[in-house]
Amino acid sequence: MLVAFSRRICRSRLLSLRSLVTETASSASAEEPSSSTPNAAVQESAGQQEARKPAWWSDPKVDAIHAYNIIHKRFKLHGPQREANYRQLIKRVTNHQEATLALKILVEGRKARAVLEQHDPFTFHTSQLLIMTCLSTKSYDVALEALQRAHELGLQFDNNDAYYKLMKVAITNGRLDIAMSVFEAMKDNGVRPRGKVVHILIMGSIVNGRRDLAEAYAEEFRCNHVKINHASQQWLNGTKQPDNLNLEAETSDSTTNEASAEQQQVATAVASA
């Protein structure tokens, strides 16, 4: 019986010792910080900082070249970008190099869309913004290329404004060749010329010593039933001469006369309806 009693005491002490070891280990584990906790916290903090970081288009320090690199990189990761991103790049253009990049990003955007069989054209807003930016930075060759490749690139120039503005700048700077190329692009794109385009071509040809070209244009307009306004006819008749020409006033008068004639036609149509 003494032996049995001794065994029970030993077992009791052994169990008490095991319980003490277990409690000590648990206490140490609770006190010791997890090695993965700081890393997770750092990662979470970095993610939150990235989320709070403003978008590139709202950062005035991002120039056109930086914007091009950002969008170009996103093409590879995410495919076509929102059209508003392209406009943000165009708005940052300040010189000829950046204007070239603006057209290039639209070319790349068009290709990225084509891969996904997205063939919708760029909006009129984006197309006009590109042309006006090219004119303001004197990137006339980039503007001409955009007009010539309008169908290919999905740009919309379905009225006279973009063509006329580039023609006017070209004529003002003695570049009749650019104005002629713009008119050819206009015809290729199926845009019918109106009064101010007719006037700038006829007047610009005569001012640059090419009366023969002005008469050829006039004949082409007549054959295609395009109206030649009074101001243009004065140049063809020799009533107006290039001496002491104020081109800005001349084109403004032509545009005003055309607008007045259009308003008169609308009023007549309404009255007869």
Side-chain angles (χ1 to χ4, degrees), residues 9 16 37 42 52 58 67 76 82 101 111 124 129 142 144 179 181 183 197 210 212 235 271:
I9 292 175
S16 298
T37 302
V42 170
R52 288 195 298 267
S58 62
K76 297 180 179 179
R82 293 176 56 197
L101 287 178
K111 290 180 179 178
F124 180 76
L129 179 62
V142 180
L144 177 59
S181 298
F183 183 55
V197 168
R210 292 294 307 274
D212 60 322
W235 281 96

Side-chain angles (χ1 to χ4, degrees), residues 3-197:
V3 173
F5 179 73
S6 298
R7 287 179 178 176
R8 283 198 295 272
I9 292 175
C10 289
R11 287 178 184 175
S12 177
R13 289 179 176 176
L14 181 61
L15 289 174
S16 298
L17 181 61
R18 285 180 179 177
S19 176
L20 180 61
V21 170
T22 303
E23 289 178 1
T24 303
S26 299
S27 176
S29 299
E31 293 177 0
E32 182 181 355
S34 174
S35 59
S36 61
T37 302
N39 293 334
V42 170
Q43 292 177 357
E44 183 178 356
S45 177
Q48 290 175 350
Q49 290 178 0
E50 185 67 23
R52 288 195 298 267
K53 186 177 179 181
W56 68 265
W57 54 81
S58 62
D59 186 352
K61 295 180 181 179
V62 176
D63 60 11
I65 296 177
H66 190 187
Y68 170 83
N69 291 332
I70 292 173
I71 298 176
H72 180 74
K73 183 178 179 180
R74 291 186 175 184
F75 278 145
K76 297 180 179 179
L77 297 175
H78 309 293
Q81 300 296 295
R82 293 176 56 197
E83 191 168 334
N85 291 350
Y86 306 140
R87 289 197 293 271
Q88 288 295 333
L89 186 157
I90 296 172
K91 290 177 181 178
R92 288 166 165 75
V93 169
T94 59
N95 55 50
H96 182 273
Q97 178 190 4
E98 293 172 352
T100 303
L101 287 178
L103 179 60
K104 186 176 181 181
I105 203 68
L106 293 180
V107 173
E108 294 178 3
R110 183 67 169 170
K111 290 180 179 178
R113 286 180 172 186
V115 171
L116 301 179
E117 297 186 357
Q118 298 175 358
H119 303 296
D120 293 338
F122 292 111
T123 63
F124 180 76
H125 182 193
T126 300
S127 305
Q128 289 292 107
L129 179 62
L130 176 65
I131 292 298
M132 297 309 298
T133 301
C134 288
L135 294 181
S136 66
T137 57
K138 298 183 179 180
S139 306
Y140 308 134
D141 57 328
V142 180
L144 177 59
E145 182 180 354
L147 293 174
Q148 291 173 329
R149 301 177 64 187
H151 284 311
E152 173 193 349
L153 302 181
L155 297 172
Q156 295 191 65
F157 304 113
D158 51 3
N159 62 28
N160 281 223
D161 287 343
Y163 301 96
Y164 168 71
K165 288 172 182 175
L166 183 52
M167 286 180 189
K168 182 178 177 180
V169 171
I171 293 295
T172 304
N173 289 277
R175 294 299 305 272
L176 180 60
D177 57 324
I178 293 181
M180 294 169 62
S181 298
V182 172
F183 183 55
E184 291 302 316
M186 186 177 186
K187 292 191 291 185
D188 291 341
N189 293 336
V191 180
R192 185 177 177 82
R194 300 180 65 178
K196 57 186 180 181
V197 168

